[in-house]
Each structure stands twice: as C-alpha cells, then as structure tokens.
C-alpha cells in the first residue's frame, strides 16, 4: 500500500479527518482517485503514527486525503484489499450495532449509516420498509461499492437502490455510475416509510431528490407527546414545506388535528393522497396548496392553532448565511402573524451555519416586533441515526424549537 507522508504540523484529533495539499509532503501525482494508502506523521522527536485512508488528488473542494483509522504497521498482515474490506465491514458493523441498540426508538425505518459520523465519509445508507437506499459520494468508498452491497445482502433481504447525488460526486470528480438493476429493483416504484405509526408512500422519482427526513422523526414524536400532555385536540394546523406530510399526518393519525393545510412548492398532492388512503385518513381532514411559502402567506389571511415551519436549508455555504438569516426572519415573521393566541409554533432549521442560539434569538426578535410573547416548550436536534458526538461540530445541523405563542 502506498505510503504518503504528512506535514509535521498536521494535528489529528478526531477520525475520520479530511486533509488538503498543504498537509502533505508526498507527491500525489501517481495516486488514482480513491486509492487507499498509509499516511505517516512526521513529528519531531516522536515516533511516527500511521493511519489508513484514501486519496483523491482531483477533489474540487481540496479535501484530497481522508484518514479513516489509526493503524500499526506490524499488525497489517493481510493483503491491501483485505485490509480495506475489514475496515469497511468494521465501520458498518459498529453503525448497525448502534441502530440495533436503539431499535425501539428508531422503528423499522432509519438511516443505517451516516457518512463521517459513522466512520466512512460519503457513505449514506437508508433503510425503508421495502428497500435499502445507498448513496456513495467519495472516491475511496466508490471503489468498494461491491464490498458494501455484499455486506448489506448478508443482513437484509431487501432490494438495494442506488441514489446518486450528482453535485457531491462532481466535487469528487466522480462520473455518473449507472448500476445494473435486478427486475425487482426495476419494478419498485414506491418507497414505504413507517414513521410515528404513519405509513408514508413516496414515489421513487421524488425520493431520489430528497429521500425521507428521518432526522426529525424523534422531534415529531416529542411534539405528539407534548400535545398529549397539554391535552390539546381539534387543532387547525398549517404544515409548511410539507414534502411527504410526515408532520401533518402524524398529528392527524394521533387525533390532534381538526384539519391540516399542507403547503409546498413541489407537486405532492398525489403522494399525500396515497398516504392518506393507506392510513384511512379522510380527504376532509387535509388540503394541499402547491405554492412558494412566501407567496402563500401574501394571499392567505387565515390563522392557525399550530404552525410547523420546517424549511430546507436556506444556505449551502457560510458565504450565504446572512441571506439565510434574512430569509428565516421573513419566514417566522409571517408565521407569527398567522398564529392564534395560545398557539404553538414549531420552528426548525437544518442550515449548518446557524446555531440553535442564533435561531432562537432571531425568532425572539421577530416575536417582539410582532408584539407576541414566546415561551419555549421544547427543543431538540437530529435523531440518533444521524449521530453527533459534539455540539460544536458541523455534524450538529438540525435545530428544533417548539414555542407557546401568546
């Protein structure tokens, strides 16, 4: 296995870690994209440490090295191929073991593997009721797709679909990689998710764009418990950025909603209607408006007892954070104008560069401007199948705040 020497100033605290050209002393010209290698530190007056990982000299984001695991050279007795396979299978086994430990919380559908946070950058595995969805977005993992799919087949008798994130693969200079699909995979048109006792059906073509948001599942459950404890029923509910309707249908299914108004700019009426039929929810219980949320508010004067505002990320990079903050202010300003006295506002953000504290501050500011009194009833973050080990890292992205509004 190729040996790549790291600069003596490189500090490695957590693994996996991404490094750039400034962190190495070796030439990468002979490396192929995704080539696995041994990385050696060169600390003065200290014994060298060794790590195994992979290189991609063509990565557009300058993350050309991915260090996965610290190793001792005298323990690497297997051939290179088997060493890599063992590392991949070890990471998969640990991740699956964590999901098994949390299975009563997670239920039958969850994110089985979550990239860096489970030890392998760029690998995402989602388990639905009727399929496994695989995403591979880094070159070193792309080289071992068969190892991963073979491992999955040992544990799950489910078709494996490959979803391609073309933007992330482009950053890694990875080409589109069509797979030969089995007849079962070709015939699979709907993904089924069981979330908080609601069976949700998502057409494959819609799921390829967004999948299902498992990360908020526990927050949805917490909201159900909160409404139960407050003894609230027959609520008039607005579900913004509704997508497949996971928030609103859970509220109907558990008896808290008199009516839910779903709003999204995507064409999800057929998906929502299919989910309603599967859960014996009558059409009078909900309606769907296809519209941009901001323009929806301009033409809608109704008020609601509960508003769920769970937008997609408003900024994809730190350079856009100021614009995102203005977008959130405008969004929550409208929510506060359309909520009844003694109403409940569910405010969520998945924008990486905005902290929980910043989110609460900007909502509080809009509350004061609107002469509304806000009190936090509950807070949360992503579910355990999107694991985080620190509140300061980039993996901590999901924020959930539930307010009482008077």
């Amino acid at each position: 296995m190729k040996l790549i020497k790291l600069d003596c100033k490189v500090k490695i605290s957590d693994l996996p870690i991404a490094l750039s050209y400034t962190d190495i002393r070796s030439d990468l010209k002979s490396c192929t994209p995704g080539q696995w290698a041994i990385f050696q530190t060169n600390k003065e007056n200290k014994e060298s440490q060794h790590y195994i990982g992979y290189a991609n000299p063509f990565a557009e984001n300058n993350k050309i090295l991915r260090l996965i695991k610290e190793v001792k050279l005298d323990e690497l007795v297997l051939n290179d191929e088997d060493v890599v396979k063992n590392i991949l299978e070890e990471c998969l086994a640990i991740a699956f073991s964590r999901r098994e430990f949390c299975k009563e919380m997670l239920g039958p559908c969850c994110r089985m593997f979550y990239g860096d946070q489970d030890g392998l950058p760029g690998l995402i595995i989602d388990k639905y009721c009727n399929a496994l969805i695989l995403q591979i977005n880094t070159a070193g993992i792309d080289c071992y797709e068969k190892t991963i799919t073979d491992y999955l087949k040992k544990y799950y008798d489910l078709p494996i679909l490959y979803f391609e994130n073309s933007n992330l693969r482009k950053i890694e200079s990875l080409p589109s990689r069509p797979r030969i699909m089995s007849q079962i995979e070709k015939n699979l048109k709907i993904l089924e998710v069981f979330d908080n006792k609601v069976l949700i059906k998502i057409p494959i073509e819609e799921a390829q764009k967004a999948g299902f948001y498992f990360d908020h599942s526990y927050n949805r459950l917490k909201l159900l418990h909160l409404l139960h404890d407050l003894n609230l029923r027959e609520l008039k509910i607005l579900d913004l950025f509704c997508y497949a309707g996971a928030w609103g249908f859970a509220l109907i299914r558990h008896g808290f909603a008199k009516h839910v108004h779903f709003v999204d700019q995507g064409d999800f009426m057929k998906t929502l209607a299919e989910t309603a039929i599967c859960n014996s929810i009558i059409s009078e219980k909900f309606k769907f408006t296809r519209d941009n949320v901001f323009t929806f508010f301009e033409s809608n004067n109704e008020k609601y007892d509960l508003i769920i505002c769970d937008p997609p990320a408003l900024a994809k990079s730190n350079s856009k954070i100021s614009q995102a903050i203005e977008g959130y202010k405008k969004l929550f300003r409208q929510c506060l104008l359309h909520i009844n006295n003694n109403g409940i506002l569910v405010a969520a953000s998945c924008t990486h560069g905005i902290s929980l504290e910043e989110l609460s501050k900007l909502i509080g500011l809009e509350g004061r401007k609107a002469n509304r009194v806000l009190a936090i009833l509950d807070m949360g973050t992503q579910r355990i199948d999107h694991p985080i080990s620190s509140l300061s890292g980039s993996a901590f992205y999901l924020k959930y705040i539930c307010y009482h509004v008077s």
Side-chain angles (χ1 to χ4, degrees), residues 345-364:
L345 171 64
V346 170
S349 167
C350 60
T351 302
H352 279 87
I354 296 178
S355 68
L356 185 65
E357 182 180 6
E358 289 169 327
L359 181 67
S360 67
K361 281 183 177 179
L362 71 86
I363 295 172

Side-chain angles (χ1 to χ4, degrees), residues 128-141:
Y128 292 77
C129 294
N130 60 336
L132 293 169
I133 304 300
L134 179 65
Q135 296 182 52
I136 297 177
N137 301 314
T138 56
I141 307 302

Side-chain angles (χ1 to χ4, degrees), residues 378-396:
D378 192 18
M379 294 185 294
T381 184
Q382 62 244 46
R383 197 171 64 166
I384 186 61
D385 54 345
H386 292 66
I388 52 176
S389 57
S390 169
L391 297 181
S392 61
S394 61
F396 172 41

Side-chain angles (χ1 to χ4, degrees), residues 190-237:
I190 297 287
L191 287 178
E192 297 179 352
V193 187
F194 196 66
D195 185 75
N196 291 305
K197 297 185 178 180
V198 178
L199 179 61
I200 297 172
K201 294 197 171 187
I202 307 173
I204 292 289
E205 61 269 18
E206 290 178 9
Q208 284 179 322
K209 300 172 186 175
F212 180 78
Y213 299 112
F214 294 109
D215 49 5
H216 259 312
S217 183
Y218 195 60
N219 294 326
R220 288 190 280 269
L221 179 61
K222 295 206 308 171
L223 178 62
L224 298 175
H225 287 314
L226 176 65
L227 296 178
H228 176 269
D229 292 344
L230 293 172
N231 195 28
L232 294 177
R233 292 287 190 277
E234 294 292 297
L235 299 175
K236 183 180 178 183
I237 297 169

Side-chain angles (χ1 to χ4, degrees), residues 148-170:
I148 294 164
T149 54
D150 286 348
Y151 187 88
L152 293 175
K153 288 173 183 177
K154 288 194 297 185
Y155 291 92
Y156 298 104
D157 185 21
L158 290 170
I160 300 172
L161 300 183
Y162 183 82
F163 282 4
E164 185 169 299
N165 188 319
S166 56
N167 291 330
L168 292 179
R169 288 181 66 84
K170 181 177 181 294

Side-chain angles (χ1 to χ4, degrees), residues 273-313:
E274 183 72 22
T275 295
I277 292 170
C278 292
N279 294 277
S280 301
I281 294 172
I282 59 174
S283 59
E284 288 77 14
K285 275 288 190 180
F286 70 96
K287 71 175 179 178
F288 172 69
T289 297
R290 185 182 184 184
D291 200 355
N292 177 286
V293 166
F294 294 104
T295 57
F296 166 78
F297 274 131
E298 291 173 3
S299 60
N300 180 59
N301 296 317
E302 291 189 54
K303 292 200 172 185
Y304 302 87
D305 303 311
L306 168 59
I307 296 180
I308 298 151
C309 186
D310 179 20

